[in-house]
Amino acid sequence: GNLKYSLGKKWTWSAGGRLSLYSINAAFDTTTFAYPVAGTSNTHQAINGTLGIVFNPNTSFQTYFNASSGFRAPNIDDIGKVFDSEPGLVVVPNTRLKPEYAYNGEIGFVWAVKGKVKLDGAVYYTYLQNAIVRANYLFGGQDSILYEGTMSVVQAMQNVADAYVYGFQTGIEWTISKGLSLRSTLNY
């Protein structure tokens, strides 16, 4: 669900929410690859939301703030697929994988100067909980196994830690004439 509401001519706020549910039930064919688990099930849920506020003090300037949360459930490849991504490396299923959650914040502005130049900028921050990444793994207590005739390092998708993404972006756009403009951006 989403809601957008204007508070007079200068303020607008928006809010949204979502309930996500997922469930995976998988049976593994252990005749092709001697995986020690015959099947798995994985069920999780999350409530996510967003909140945004926009302030327009006049027709040429706008500032905003957004906060949101996100959810990524492990998919069937993450928890149930065996594959070799390169020679000497095999990725095995991880049936204990949990979803990852993201919490985001952003504040920014847009400023139009005399209809010819537009400046914009924003800073943002994301906190990622239970980040899912591919990393070295033990399979049957071993860090390497013989896979399709090659000794291969074992890896799996895992919830390794928390992660942080942050930075800023800024831009300028100069309208030289109708249909011709120059734009430059900087992101870090």
Side-chain angles (χ1 to χ4, degrees), residues 51-67:
L51 177 64
I53 300 170
V54 177
F55 177 58
N56 292 298
N58 55 53
T59 58
S60 63
F61 188 78
Q62 178 185 85
T63 186
Y64 61 89
F65 170 77
N66 292 309

Side-chain angles (χ1 to χ4, degrees), residues 87-90 142-154:
L89 183 72
V90 62
Q142 299 177 353
D143 63 359
S144 298
I145 60 171
L146 191 61
Y147 179 73
E148 294 185 348
T150 302
M151 191 56 114
S152 301
V153 173
V154 176

Side-chain angles (χ1 to χ4, degrees), residues 77-160:
D77 283 350
D78 294 335
I79 68 168
K81 184 177 177 183
V82 175
F83 62 95
D84 56 342
S85 58
E86 58 189 68
L89 183 72
V90 62
V91 179
V92 298
N94 180 359
T95 58
R96 295 183 308 265
L97 202 55
K98 295 182 238 172
E100 60 186 6
Y101 297 88
Y103 305 95
N104 313 289
E106 177 182 7
I107 188 167
F109 74 94
V110 179
W111 182 26
V113 183
K114 297 185 181 185
K116 290 284 186 184
V117 177
K118 182 174 82 172
L119 303 169
D120 64 88
V123 294
Y124 55 88
Y125 181 85
T126 299
Y127 166 62
L128 194 59
Q129 184 181 34
N130 288 329
I132 298 174
V133 298
R134 191 175 76 183
N136 290 344
Y137 192 71
L138 294 178
F139 181 78
Q142 299 177 353
D143 63 359
S144 298
I145 60 171
L146 191 61
Y147 179 73
E148 294 185 348
T150 302
M151 191 56 114
S152 301
V153 173
V154 176
Q155 290 191 331
M157 300 303 286
Q158 300 174 58
N159 300 106
V160 295

